[in-house]
Amino acid sequence: MANTSTAAEPGQAVSDTTPSLNPFLDSLGVELLEMENGTARLGLDLKPQHMNSWQITHGGVIMTMLDVVMAMAGRSLSAELKGVVTIEMKTSFLQPGGIAGGRVEARGKAFHQSTTMCFCEGEVWNGDKLVAKSMGTFKYLRRLKSGENMKKLYGSD
């Protein structure tokens, strides 16, 4: 399979280097640091809106970063594959994720793939502290359905 490399400038939004925009990631402020050869890295400067009621990084922010970084690692293995969907994901939280003013980094790696599936692992780090670890299974899609097509098929909320 052909490998792809996506160059990213530090601080660049994920949607700036991927074919489809992701308003959710943009609103979080997630930055693409690397995406090539079965690996990916994302960064996030932690702000008050990322915190939970205890003023530490919300678990949903951590899980979002893990899901995205693993999916990007899997997508980086082939230029022909346009996307992946998460089939299964397990996450273990090891310690608090950080406070506003800090920075976390997510690292993903694809460790096995078949013609239709990819198996990945991911980690979120706060400096030298491992915050969370995840394993995920992703299904490759040959063609992504647009939001408008999805509304036609399933209706809208």
Side-chain angles (χ1 to χ4, degrees):
M1 249 185 201
N3 288 326
T4 62
S5 175
T6 302
E9 296 296 322
Q12 190 169 22
V14 170
S15 64
D16 291 344
T17 58
T18 56
S20 61
L21 296 178
N22 188 320
F24 181 61
L25 295 177
D26 288 344
S27 70
L28 284 177
V30 174
E31 302 166 11
L32 175 63
L33 303 175
E34 175 186 346
M35 181 182 167
E36 63 184 355
N37 302 320
T39 64
R41 289 187 313 119
L42 301 172
L44 178 64
D45 291 326
L46 298 173
K47 298 181 177 167
Q49 62 263 31
H50 300 127
M51 302 299 116
N52 63 19
S53 60
W54 294 324
Q55 298 308 304
I56 58 172
T57 307
H58 192 286
V61 172
I62 300 296
M63 287 190 76
T64 295
M65 291 187 71
L66 287 164
D67 183 42
V68 172
V69 81
M70 290 188 294
M72 293 179 86
R75 284 179 56 202
S76 74
L77 293 173
S78 174
E80 298 145 15
L81 301 170
K82 303 225 189 293
V84 298
V85 292
T86 308
I87 300 299
E88 173 271 337
M89 182 174 162
K90 182 211 182 286
T91 302
S92 296
F93 293 93
L94 307 172
Q95 58 188 309
I99 61 173
R103 183 170 172 87
V104 291
E105 182 177 303
R107 302 170 189 163
K109 179 181 178 188
F111 62 85
H112 179 76
Q113 73 178 134
S114 68
T115 56
T116 60
M117 306 283 270
C118 186
F119 301 85
C120 301
E121 60 188 3
E123 298 176 342
V124 170
W125 289 83
N126 179 358
D128 62 352
K129 295 181 173 122
L130 181 59
V131 171
K133 189 155 179 78
S134 191
M135 300 271 292
T137 306
F138 299 84
K139 180 168 180 45
Y140 285 121
L141 300 175
R142 296 276 174 211
R143 182 174 49 191
L144 294 175
K145 291 185 179 357
S146 72
E148 287 303 313
N149 285 340
M150 294 301 285
K151 285 181 190 174
K152 289 177 191 172
L153 287 172
Y154 300 108
S156 61
D157 294 353

